C-alpha cells in the first residue's frame, strides 16, 4: 500500500500561533517523503473543524493522519472517530501535543517552534509503523453466577434475574440466608420480628430464573466478561461429588464473613467461664426467646463488651455497636429489672438514624462505660468480673452474664476463591475492590464483582445496596443482544521467543496471561488484557509485544525526536 | 416502566456515577446541576482519605465522561421547578439560567477574566478569594467555560449598559449577552435525587470563636486552603501569611445540636493532620475528638500510623479563646482534667447537613424530609435509597452523611434498581 500521510496543525485559537511559527512547521514537514499534505486550521475540534478534517482526508485519499494540537487526553478519541468516519483505519492515526508540551511550556518562540517540529516529525515516523488494528466484538452470555447465599447473594440474584437472564446461586451450606437468616430482629427495624429475609428466600425459591445450588462449592472459574465457564460441585448427600459445568457472563462473590475466634485471646475467658457468651449465641437466645443463665435463672445484670478483636485485627467492624444496642434494648424491653452495662471503646454510629437508638437506650437506663481495653474477664463467686482500663486507670464491673461482640473477619474460603479467580485481597484479608473510592464493587477481573461483607464489615442495608450496585454494573454491561468490545491495544507473546519462564504471569494485575504446558509457552488472553504493558517490560527474552507500542514504533519516534 | 429517560438531580460524585451507569446501559439521562460546574463537593478536595489520592485527578476522567457521553444531557445552572405524575411517567419542568458564554465556542482560555471590572467573593473558595463577574469557580473546573454572574455583571444588571470588556477580549465570539433563561419540559420514567450536603453553620456557636478569630477555619475552608488550585495555590499559611507551627482540629462540631454523628468527620480531620504533618513536619498538632468513628476496613490503620506523630485528646467539652492574635484551646479531658493548649490555627469539623434547597425540592417532588432534614427513605424496609414515592430514589449525602465509596455504591444501586425494573 502506498502510504499517504496528512499532517494537520491546529491553532487552538491564539494558543498555539502565539508561541509556534506554524508556517515554519508547514514548510519543514512538507519536505518529508511520505507526507502528502500539511494544513493548518483554527480550531480543529469544533464541528466545522471536524467536517474539514473528514472532507480533506477523503479528498487527499490519505492512509495515515497526524494531528498536532492539544493533549491526546482531550481529543485523541475525537479525531480517531473522524478518521474512521472518513473511511480510514483509526489506529493509523497519531496525535502530537504541541500545546501543553510546547506552546504552553516554552516562552521562546523559536525554541518552541523547533521542538514542535521535532515532535511532529517523530509522530510522522511513528505512524508509518502503526498496524491497522481492528476492534473485535465478542458474543456474550448474560447469565450470572452468584457465589454465597446470604442476604447479599439473595438480593443480587433477585435484582439480576429476568426473563432473558438466568442466575445460578451457589450456597455452601444447606440453606440460604447467611447470618441475616439467623437474626430474629434486624436493626434499624427494631421491635418486630423481621419476615423480610424469609420472604426473600421464598422469592428466590419461586423465581424460575434463579437456579439454587445448596450444599455446593464452585470448583473452577475460567474466562472473562461475557464468557465465563464454571464448575459447581455438589456436596449434597445423594448428589455428592456430582459436578456441573455452567456458562455465565459475570460472577458475583457474596461469601460474607465469619466471627473472630474469641478463644484466640484468653483475656475474654470465652469457652472457659460459664455465662460468657458470644454475640451469635445471644442472637440464638433472642431467637428462642430464652435469655437464661446456665442454671436456668434470668440474669439480673448483663455486660455487653464491644470491640473484641478490634486491636488484633486492626479495624473496627462497624456493626457491633449497633447490634449491641439492639441487645440492650431487647434486654430492657424483656427483662425490665435487668441492669445493662455497655463497655465500649468508641461508639461508632455513622448512620443518621443510629444515634437515636443510643439516646433511647440511655433513656431506658442502659449504662454506657468507656474503656480503653478489657484487661481480663474472670469468675468471682457467682458473678463474672470484667476488668478494664480507662484513661490508664483500672476499674471493673461485676455481672451475671457477659455478651462479647467479636470482630467480623473474612470468611474461610476467601483466599481460596481469590486464587481461583485471580483476585487481590486487602490488608485485612477481605476481597479488595478495583478502586476503593470510585469502583467499590468491581474487581481487576472485568466481569467479577463483590458485594456485602465479603468486602468488609457492613450492615444489612449496606450489603443490599451493594448488591443492587453489582446489579447496576452488570445490567449496564451485559445487555442481551449487545456484544462486548475488548481492548484493542493489547499485548501478544511470540511463541518462538518465549522460554516459558512465566515471569509475566506474576506481573499481570488482570490475570490475562496463562501458561500453556503443552507448548511450553505463556499466552495472553486478548479479551482480558488491558494493554498496560507491565508484562512487556518484565519478559527477560523480549518475547512480548504491545500491539500499539511496539519496540519499533517507539524507537522510530524517539530517534526522530532526538535527531 | 417503559420510558427510557431518567432525571438525575445533582452532579456530585453520586449523581455522576448514576448517570454514567444508566447512560452506558443505553438510557437517556437528563442531569440537572444548580451550579455552573459539575463534580459537587469532592472536587474541592486536594486529597481524599484513606489513600490520600488526588481528588481532582481521580474525578476528572469521570467528569469528562459525563460531559462527552452521548446519552447524557447536562443542564447547568438549572433547578427542577415542577414535577407531576408517577413512576414511569413523571412530567418534569426545569428552569435553566443563562450562562451568557457558549459551551461550544468557548475554549476556556481565560482571556476574558482580567478585563472585567467587577470583583466578587468566590463562594466556591469559601469567600477566601475573589473572582470576576465572568469566571470559572476554580482552575480545573469542568466544563472549563466561565459563566457570567448576571446579578453582578455591570452590563446585565444595568449599571453600565455599554460594558463589553469580556466580549472584546474573547477571540472566539463565545460571549452572548442575548442568551435567555429557559424553561424545559421533560418526561422521564424515574428520578434520582443526588443533591448532597452542606456544612453546619458554626458561626452560631460562639464558644469556638469562628468569625471572631481569623485563624479559626471550618473544614471546608481548610480543604480549599491546602488545595493546589485553591486561593493560596496550596501554600499552607495562616491568614496573616505566617507559617503554621501548631494546629488544633476539633471534631463533632454540631453533633449534639443536630443529634447525629456524620460518620466522615473523624477521618477527614485525620486527613488534615496527615496533610499538615506532611507539609510542616515540625508542626504540633492536636486532634480533639469524642468517639472515634472510623469504621472502614483500612481506617483504623490510618489512625494508628497517625497517632505516632500527633496527639489525640478525647474531650468532654472544648472552647477556643483569642489571646493577642494567638489562639488558646481550653478543654476538659475525658478523664475530667481541665487543661489548655496554645495553637496558631484551629480547624472546626462541623456536622454535615442537608443541602440548602432540600426543603423546596422535597415539595417539588412531593416527598418528605426525615427528622434531620434529609430526604426520607424506606429504612424500615432496609431500603435506604427508596424514597416513599415509587420511582424516586435518593442517593449519596442527600440521604444522609456518608463518604465517597458509600455515595458511589448507592448511585450504582439506584442505577441497578432502575435497570432491574426495566428487564
Ligand atoms: C451478631 C450479629 C448481629 C447483627 N445484627 C445486625 C442487625 O441487627 N442489623 C443489620 O443490618 N446487620 C446486622 N448484622 C450484620 C449482618 O449480619 C451482615 O450485614 C449480613 O449478614 C451480611 O450478609 P452477607 O450476605 O454479605 O454475608 P453472610 O451473611 O455471611 O452470608 C454469606 C453466605 O455465603 C456462604 N458462603 C461462604 N463461603 C462460600 C463459598 N465458598 N461458596 C458458597 N457459599 C459460601 C455462607 O454460607 C453464607 O450463607 C449483624 C451481625 C452479627 C454478627
Ligand atoms: C470537609 C470534608 C472532607 C471530606 N473528605 C472526604 C474524603 O477524604 N474521603 C471521602 O470518602 N469522603 C470525604 N468527604 C465526604 C464527601 O464529600 C461526600 O461523601 C461526597 O461529596 C458526597 O457526594 P454527593 O454526590 O452525594 O454530594 P455533593 O458532593 O454534595 O454533590 C451534590 C451536587 O448536587 C448539586 N445540587 C444541590 N442541590 C441541588 C438542586 N436543588 N438542584 C440541582 N443540583 C443541586 C450540588 O451543586 C452538587 O454539585 C468529606 C466531606 C467533608 C465535609
Ligand atoms: S499488557 Fe498488562 S494487562 Fe495485558 S497481559 Fe500484559 S500485564 Fe496483563
Ligand atoms: S460585561 Fe463587563 S461586567 Fe459583565 S462580565 Fe463582561 S466585563 Fe464583566
Ligand atoms: S469566553 Fe472567550 S475569552 Fe472567555 S474563556 Fe471562553 S474563549 Fe476565552
Amino acid at each position: 500500500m502506498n502510504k499517504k500521510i496528512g499532517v494537520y496543525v491546529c491553532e487552538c485559537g491564539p494558543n498555539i500561533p502565539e508561541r509556534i511559527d506554524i508556517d515554519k512547521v508547514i514548510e519543514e514537514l512538507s519536505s518529508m517523503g511520505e507526507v502528502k499534505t500539511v494544513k493548518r486550521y483554527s480550531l480543529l475540534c469544533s464541528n466545522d473543524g471536524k467536517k474539514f478534517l473528514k472532507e480533506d482526508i477523503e479528498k487527499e485519499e490519505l492512509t495515515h493522519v497526524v494531528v498536532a494540537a492539544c493533549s491526546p487526553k482531550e481529543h485523541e478519541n475525537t479525531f480517531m472517530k473522524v478518521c474512521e468516519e472518513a473511511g480510514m483505519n483509526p489506529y493509523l492515526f497519531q496525535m502530537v501535543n504541541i500545546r501543553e508540551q510546547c506552546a504552553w511550556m516554552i516562552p521562546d518562540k523559536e525554541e518552541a517552534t523547533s521542538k514542535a517540529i521535532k515532535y511532529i516529525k517523530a509522530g510522522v515516523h511513528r505512524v508509518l509503523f502503526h498496524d491497522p488494528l481492528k476492534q473485535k466484538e465478542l458474543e456474550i452470555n448474560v447469565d450470572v453466577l452468584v457465589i454465597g447465599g446470604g442476604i447479599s447473594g439473595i438480593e443480587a440474584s433477585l435484582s439480576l434475574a429476568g426473563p432473558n437472564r438466568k442466575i445460578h446461586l451457589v450456597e455452601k451450606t444447606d440453606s440460604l440466608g447467611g447470618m441475616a437468616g439467623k437474626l430474629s430482629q434486624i436493626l434499624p427495624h427494631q421491635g418486630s420480628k423481621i419476615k423480610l429475609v424469609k420472604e426473600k428466600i421464598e422469592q428466590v425459591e419461586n423465581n424460575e430464573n434463579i437456579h439454587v445450588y445448596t450444599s455446593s462449592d464452585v470448583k473452577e472459574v475460567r474466562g472473562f466478561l461475557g464468557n465465563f465457564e464454571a464448575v459447581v460441585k455438589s456436596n449434597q448427600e445423594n448428589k455428592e461429588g456430582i459436578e456441573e459445568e455452567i456458562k455465565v457472563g459475570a460472577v458475583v462473590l457474596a461469601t460474607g464473613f465469619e466471627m473472630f475466634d474469641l478463644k484466640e485471646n484468653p483475656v475474654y475467658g470465652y469457652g472457659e467461664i460459664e455465662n460468657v457468651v458470644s454475640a451469635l449465641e445471644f442472637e440464638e437466645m433472642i431467637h428462642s426467646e430464652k435469655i437464661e443463665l446456665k442454671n436456668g435463672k434470668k440474669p439480673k445484670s448483663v455486660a455487653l463488651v464491644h470491640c473484641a478483636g478490634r486491636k488484633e485485627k486492626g479495624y473496627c467492624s462497624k456493626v457491633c455497636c449497633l447490634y449491641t444496642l439492639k441487645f440492650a434494648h431487647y434486654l430492657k424491653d424483656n427483662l425490665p429489672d435487668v441492669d445493662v452495662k455497655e463497655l465500649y471503646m468508641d461508639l461508632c454510629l455513622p448512620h443518621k438514624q443510629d444515634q437515636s437508638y443510643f439516646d433511647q437506650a440511655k433513656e431506658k437506663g442502659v449504662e454506657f462505660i468507656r474503656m480503653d481495653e478489657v484487661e481480663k474477664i474472670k469468675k468471682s463467686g457467682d458473678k463474672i468480673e470484667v476488668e478494664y482500663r480507662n484513661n490508664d486507670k483500672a476499674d471493673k464491673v461485676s455481672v451475671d452474664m457477659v455478651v462479647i461482640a467479636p470482630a467480623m473477619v473474612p470468611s474461610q474460603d476467601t483466599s481460596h476463591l481469590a486464587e481461583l479467580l485471580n483476585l487481590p485481597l486487602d490488608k485485612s484479608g477481605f476481597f479488595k475492590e478495583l478502586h476503593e473510592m470510585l469502583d467499590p464493587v468491581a474487581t481487576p477481573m472485568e466481569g467479577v464483582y463483590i458485594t456485602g461483607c465479603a468486602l468488609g464489615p457492613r450492615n444489612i442495608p449496606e450489603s443490599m445496596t451493594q448488591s443492587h450496585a453489582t446489579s447496576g454494573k452488570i445490567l449496564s454491561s451485559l445487555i442481551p443482544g449487545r456484544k462486548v468490545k475488548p481492548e484493542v491495544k493489547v499485548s501478544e507473546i511470540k511463541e518462538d521467543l518465549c522460554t516459558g519462564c512465566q515471569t509475566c504471569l506474576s506481573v499481570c494485575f488482570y490475570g490475562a496471561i496463562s501458561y500453556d504446558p503443552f507448548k511450553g509457552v505463556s499466552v495472553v488472553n486478548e479479551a482480558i488484557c488491558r494493554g498496560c504493558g507491565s508484562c512487556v517490560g518484565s519478559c527477560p527474552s523480549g518475547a512480548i509485544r504491545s500491539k500499539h507500542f511496539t519496540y519499533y514504533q517507539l524507537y522510530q519516534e524517539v530517534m526522530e525526536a532526538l535527531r | 416502566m417503559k420510558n427510557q429517560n431518567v432525571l438525575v438531580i445533582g452532579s456530585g460524585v453520586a449523581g455522576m456515577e448514576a448517570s454514567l451507569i444508566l447512560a452506558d446501559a443505553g438510557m437517556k439521562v437528563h442531569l440537572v446541576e444548580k451550579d455552573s460546574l459539575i463534580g459537587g463537593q469532592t472536587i474541592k478536595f486536594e486529597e481524599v482519605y484513606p489513600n490520600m489520592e488526588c481528588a481532582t485527578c481521580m474525578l476528572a476522567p469521570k467528569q469528562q465522561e459525563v460531559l462527552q457521553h452521548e446519552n447524557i444531557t447536562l443542564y447547568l445552572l438549572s433547578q427542577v421547578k415542577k414535577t407531576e405524575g408517577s413512576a414511569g411517567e413523571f412530567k418534569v419542568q426545569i428552569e435553566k439560567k443563562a450562562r451568557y458564554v457558549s459551551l461550544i465556542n468557548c475554549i476556556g482560555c481565560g482571556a476574558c477574566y482580567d478585563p472585567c471590572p467587577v470583583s466578587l467573593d468566590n463562594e466556591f473558595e469559601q469567600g477566601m478569594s475573589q473572582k470576576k463577574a465572568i469566571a470559572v469557580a476554580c482552575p480545573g473546573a469542568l466544563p472549563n467555560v466561565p459563566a457570567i454572574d448576571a446579578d453582578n455583571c455591570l452590563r446585565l444588571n444595568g449599571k453600565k449598559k455599554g460594558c463589553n470588556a469580556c466580549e472584546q477580549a474573547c477571540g472566539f465570539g463565545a460571549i452572548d449577552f442575548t442568551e435567555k433563561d429557559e424553561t424545559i419540559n421533560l418526561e422521564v420514567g424515574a428520578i434520582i435525587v443526588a443533591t448532597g450536603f452542606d456544612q453546619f453553620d458554626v458561626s452560631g456557636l460562639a464558644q469556638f470563636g469562628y468569625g471572631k478569630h481569623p485563624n479559626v477555619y471550618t473544614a471546608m475552608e481548610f480543604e480549599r486552603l491546602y488545595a493546589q488550585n485553591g486561593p493560596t495555590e496550596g501554600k499552607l499559611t495562616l491568614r496573616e501569611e505566617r507559617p503554621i507551627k501548631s494546629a488544633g482540629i476539633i471534631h463533632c462540631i454540631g453533633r449534639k445540636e443536630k443529634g447525629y454523628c456524620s460518620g466522615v468527620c473523624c477521618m477527614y480531620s485525620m486527613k488534615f493532620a496527615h496533610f499538615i504533618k506532611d507539609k510542616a513536619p515540625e508542626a504540633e498538632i492536636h486532634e480533639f475528638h469524642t468517639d472515634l468513628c472510623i469504621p472502614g476496613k483500612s481506617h483504623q490503620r490510618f489512625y494508628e500510623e497517625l497517632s505516632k506523630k500527633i496527639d489525640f485528646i478525647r474531650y468532654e467539652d472544648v472552647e477556643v479563646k483569642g489571646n493577642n492574635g494567638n489562639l488558646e484551646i481550653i478543654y476538659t479531658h475525658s478523664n475530667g482534667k481541665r487543661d489548655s493548649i496554645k495553637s496558631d490555627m484551629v480547624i472546626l469539623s462541623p456536622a454535615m447537613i442537608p443541602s440548602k434547597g432540600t426543603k423546596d425540592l422535597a415539595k417539588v417532588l412531593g416527598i418528605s424530609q426525615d427528622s434531620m432534614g434529609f430526604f426520607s427513605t424506606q429504612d424500615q424496609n432496609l431500603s435506604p435509597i427508596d424514597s416513599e414515592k415509587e420511582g424516586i430514589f435518593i442517593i449519596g449525602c442527600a440521604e444522609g452523611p456518608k463518604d465517597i465509596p458509600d455515595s458511589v455504591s448507592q448511585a450504582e444501586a439506584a442505577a441497578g434498581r432502575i435497570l432491574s425494573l426495566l428487564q
Side-chain angles (χ1 to χ4, degrees), chain B residues 197-209:
Chain B
F197 68 97
D198 274 325
Q199 208 179 231
F200 172 73
D201 181 9
V202 294
S203 53
L205 302 175
Q207 68 269 38
F208 300 115

PDB file of all heavy atoms in Angstrom, chain B residues 197-209:
ATOM      1  N   PHE B 197     -24.851  17.540  50.360  1.00  0.00           N
ATOM      2  CA  PHE B 197     -24.916  18.099  51.708  1.00  0.00           C
ATOM      3  C   PHE B 197     -24.358  19.515  51.740  1.00  0.00           C
ATOM      4  O   PHE B 197     -23.758  19.984  50.781  1.00  0.00           O
ATOM      5  CB  PHE B 197     -24.088  17.232  52.665  1.00  0.00           C
ATOM      6  CG  PHE B 197     -22.605  17.308  52.400  1.00  0.00           C
ATOM      7  CD1 PHE B 197     -21.790  18.160  53.138  1.00  0.00           C
ATOM      8  CD2 PHE B 197     -22.027  16.550  51.386  1.00  0.00           C
ATOM      9  CE1 PHE B 197     -20.414  18.253  52.879  1.00  0.00           C
ATOM     10  CE2 PHE B 197     -20.659  16.632  51.121  1.00  0.00           C
ATOM     11  CZ  PHE B 197     -19.854  17.483  51.871  1.00  0.00           C
ATOM     12  N   ASP B 198     -24.571  20.179  52.864  1.00  0.00           N
ATOM     13  CA  ASP B 198     -23.902  21.435  53.159  1.00  0.00           C
ATOM     14  C   ASP B 198     -23.252  21.296  54.521  1.00  0.00           C
ATOM     15  O   ASP B 198     -23.468  20.313  55.231  1.00  0.00           O
ATOM     16  CB  ASP B 198     -24.903  22.598  53.170  1.00  0.00           C
ATOM     17  CG  ASP B 198     -25.118  23.160  51.764  1.00  0.00           C
ATOM     18  OD1 ASP B 198     -24.150  23.173  50.993  1.00  0.00           O
ATOM     19  OD2 ASP B 198     -26.249  23.557  51.452  1.00  0.00           O
ATOM     20  N   GLN B 199     -22.518  22.321  54.900  1.00  0.00           N
ATOM     21  CA  GLN B 199     -21.831  22.289  56.171  1.00  0.00           C
ATOM     22  C   GLN B 199     -22.670  23.005  57.229  1.00  0.00           C
ATOM     23  O   GLN B 199     -23.210  24.070  56.962  1.00  0.00           O
ATOM     24  CB  GLN B 199     -20.507  23.024  55.974  1.00  0.00           C
ATOM     25  CG  GLN B 199     -19.418  22.588  56.868  1.00  0.00           C
ATOM     26  CD  GLN B 199     -18.146  23.371  56.556  1.00  0.00           C
ATOM     27  OE1 GLN B 199     -17.104  22.814  56.370  1.00  0.00           O
ATOM     28  NE2 GLN B 199     -18.250  24.683  56.524  1.00  0.00           N
ATOM     29  N   PHE B 200     -22.762  22.408  58.417  1.00  0.00           N
ATOM     30  CA  PHE B 200     -23.428  23.046  59.559  1.00  0.00           C
ATOM     31  C   PHE B 200     -22.767  24.412  59.806  1.00  0.00           C
ATOM     32  O   PHE B 200     -21.538  24.523  59.772  1.00  0.00           O
ATOM     33  CB  PHE B 200     -23.252  22.132  60.774  1.00  0.00           C
ATOM     34  CG  PHE B 200     -23.708  22.713  62.081  1.00  0.00           C
ATOM     35  CD1 PHE B 200     -25.066  22.853  62.364  1.00  0.00           C
ATOM     36  CD2 PHE B 200     -22.780  23.095  63.045  1.00  0.00           C
ATOM     37  CE1 PHE B 200     -25.481  23.381  63.577  1.00  0.00           C
ATOM     38  CE2 PHE B 200     -23.193  23.626  64.258  1.00  0.00           C
ATOM     39  CZ  PHE B 200     -24.545  23.763  64.523  1.00  0.00           C
ATOM     40  N   ASP B 201     -23.597  25.430  60.049  1.00  0.00           N
ATOM     41  CA  ASP B 201     -23.064  26.781  60.226  1.00  0.00           C
ATOM     42  C   ASP B 201     -22.495  26.948  61.639  1.00  0.00           C
ATOM     43  O   ASP B 201     -23.232  26.974  62.617  1.00  0.00           O
ATOM     44  CB  ASP B 201     -24.177  27.801  59.970  1.00  0.00           C
ATOM     45  CG  ASP B 201     -23.670  29.224  60.115  1.00  0.00           C
ATOM     46  OD1 ASP B 201     -22.435  29.416  60.244  1.00  0.00           O
ATOM     47  OD2 ASP B 201     -24.501  30.151  60.111  1.00  0.00           O
ATOM     48  N   VAL B 202     -21.174  27.074  61.727  1.00  0.00           N
ATOM     49  CA  VAL B 202     -20.536  27.104  63.040  1.00  0.00           C
ATOM     50  C   VAL B 202     -20.581  28.484  63.680  1.00  0.00           C
ATOM     51  O   VAL B 202     -20.267  28.626  64.863  1.00  0.00           O
ATOM     52  CB  VAL B 202     -19.061  26.645  62.964  1.00  0.00           C
ATOM     53  CG1 VAL B 202     -18.978  25.184  62.584  1.00  0.00           C
ATOM     54  CG2 VAL B 202     -18.281  27.485  61.979  1.00  0.00           C
ATOM     55  N   SER B 203     -20.981  29.494  62.911  1.00  0.00           N
ATOM     56  CA  SER B 203     -20.907  30.838  63.488  1.00  0.00           C
ATOM     57  C   SER B 203     -21.943  31.019  64.607  1.00  0.00           C
ATOM     58  O   SER B 203     -21.821  31.918  65.431  1.00  0.00           O
ATOM     59  CB  SER B 203     -21.080  31.902  62.404  1.00  0.00           C
ATOM     60  OG  SER B 203     -22.253  31.643  61.673  1.00  0.00           O
ATOM     61  N   GLY B 204     -22.931  30.126  64.667  1.00  0.00           N
ATOM     62  CA  GLY B 204     -23.907  30.191  65.758  1.00  0.00           C
ATOM     63  C   GLY B 204     -23.352  29.734  67.101  1.00  0.00           C
ATOM     64  O   GLY B 204     -23.954  29.989  68.142  1.00  0.00           O
ATOM     65  N   LEU B 205     -22.220  29.037  67.083  1.00  0.00           N
ATOM     66  CA  LEU B 205     -21.667  28.511  68.333  1.00  0.00           C
ATOM     67  C   LEU B 205     -20.489  29.391  68.767  1.00  0.00           C
ATOM     68  O   LEU B 205     -19.356  29.188  68.350  1.00  0.00           O
ATOM     69  CB  LEU B 205     -21.213  27.064  68.152  1.00  0.00           C
ATOM     70  CG  LEU B 205     -22.303  26.088  67.687  1.00  0.00           C
ATOM     71  CD1 LEU B 205     -21.717  24.700  67.427  1.00  0.00           C
ATOM     72  CD2 LEU B 205     -23.424  25.994  68.713  1.00  0.00           C
ATOM     73  N   ALA B 206     -20.785  30.376  69.616  1.00  0.00           N
ATOM     74  CA  ALA B 206     -19.797  31.405  69.956  1.00  0.00           C
ATOM     75  C   ALA B 206     -18.554  30.837  70.619  1.00  0.00           C
ATOM     76  O   ALA B 206     -17.465  31.394  70.487  1.00  0.00           O
ATOM     77  CB  ALA B 206     -20.440  32.443  70.873  1.00  0.00           C
ATOM     78  N   GLN B 207     -18.692  29.679  71.314  1.00  0.00           N
ATOM     79  CA  GLN B 207     -17.536  29.158  72.077  1.00  0.00           C
ATOM     80  C   GLN B 207     -16.346  28.787  71.203  1.00  0.00           C
ATOM     81  O   GLN B 207     -15.247  28.594  71.693  1.00  0.00           O
ATOM     82  CB  GLN B 207     -17.956  27.971  72.971  1.00  0.00           C
ATOM     83  CG  GLN B 207     -18.357  26.704  72.251  1.00  0.00           C
ATOM     84  CD  GLN B 207     -19.847  26.620  71.946  1.00  0.00           C
ATOM     85  OE1 GLN B 207     -20.480  27.623  71.600  1.00  0.00           O
ATOM     86  NE2 GLN B 207     -20.424  25.443  72.073  1.00  0.00           N
ATOM     87  N   PHE B 208     -16.579  28.662  69.890  1.00  0.00           N
ATOM     88  CA  PHE B 208     -15.459  28.274  69.023  1.00  0.00           C
ATOM     89  C   PHE B 208     -14.785  29.469  68.342  1.00  0.00           C
ATOM     90  O   PHE B 208     -13.806  29.308  67.624  1.00  0.00           O
ATOM     91  CB  PHE B 208     -15.920  27.258  67.984  1.00  0.00           C
ATOM     92  CG  PHE B 208     -16.467  25.999  68.605  1.00  0.00           C
ATOM     93  CD1 PHE B 208     -17.800  25.655  68.445  1.00  0.00           C
ATOM     94  CD2 PHE B 208     -15.655  25.194  69.386  1.00  0.00           C
ATOM     95  CE1 PHE B 208     -18.307  24.504  69.045  1.00  0.00           C
ATOM     96  CE2 PHE B 208     -16.153  24.042  69.984  1.00  0.00           C
ATOM     97  CZ  PHE B 208     -17.488  23.702  69.819  1.00  0.00           C
ATOM     98  N   GLY B 209     -15.348  30.630  68.539  1.00  0.00           N
ATOM     99  CA  GLY B 209     -14.689  31.846  68.069  1.00  0.00           C
ATOM    100  C   GLY B 209     -14.615  31.993  66.562  1.00  0.00           C
ATOM    101  O   GLY B 209     -13.819  32.776  66.044  1.00  0.00           O
TER     102      GLY B 209
END
